Amino acid sequence: MLDGSLTAIAKMYLAILIIAGLVSVASFFIQANQGNEYKQYINYQIERNGGLTVSAMEKLNEYNNKYYDGRFKIESPMMNQKVKYGDEITYTVTGSFKILYFDLPIQTISIKGSALSLIR
């Protein structure tokens, strides 16, 4: 009689642990996908502002803080420079992600991107 109760409790505990793990993994991949969304917004700002200019960086930082809680950082050798029409700007977006329910270190993922300046 006691074996059946212990087995049922163990199965419930294991099921809860598996569900928490699946939710954590799903949450991590959703946050990682937000890096691609932010990269698209960076491309738009580069095209509209002629590079990673001061005004473009202000808009990007505001957007990052508003929608992603400041999770992303942009690195580029062409920061705060306006470039001519058709020049390619390369950059790297680095995101820091916390995994839910588990005491794991913060994970960082870097996404490389590039865009063309469309300002004459």
Side-chain angles (χ1 to χ4, degrees):
M1 186 74 163
L2 189 58
D3 288 340
S5 299
L6 290 176
T7 305
I9 291 172
K11 286 180 183 178
M12 284 189 285
Y13 180 74
L14 186 61
I16 290 171
L17 188 63
I18 289 172
I19 290 171
L22 289 174
V23 169
S24 295
V25 169
S27 168
F28 175 76
F29 284 119
I30 288 170
Q31 290 178 2
N33 188 41
Q34 288 176 343
N36 291 326
E37 295 169 8
Y38 188 58
K39 190 175 94 167
Q40 181 62 37
Y41 189 74
I42 294 170
N43 291 345
Y44 175 73
Q45 290 302 322
I46 288 172
E47 292 169 358
R48 300 273 306 190
N49 292 294
L52 289 170
T53 61
V54 175
S55 63
M57 289 305 297
E58 287 174 0
K59 290 176 186 175
L60 290 170
N61 288 332
E62 179 183 322
Y63 190 82
N64 183 23
N65 290 330
K66 182 175 181 183
Y67 294 107
Y68 304 117
D69 298 323
R71 183 179 303 131
F72 298 106
K73 294 178 187 164
I74 304 168
E75 299 169 2
S76 174
M78 299 176 208
M79 293 290 272
N80 300 323
Q81 294 179 11
K82 187 166 186 163
V83 296
K84 62 183 180 177
Y85 179 81
D87 283 354
E88 183 179 19
I89 293 95
T90 58
Y91 59 89
T92 304
V93 178
T94 305
S96 301
F97 307 106
K98 176 80 173 116
I99 297 179
L100 296 177
Y101 305 124
F102 298 102
D103 189 25
L104 296 173
I106 294 176
Q107 304 296 313
T108 56
I109 295 178
S110 297
I111 303 169
K112 293 185 179 193
S114 63
L116 298 175
S117 170
L118 299 179
I119 295 292
R120 294 186 188 256

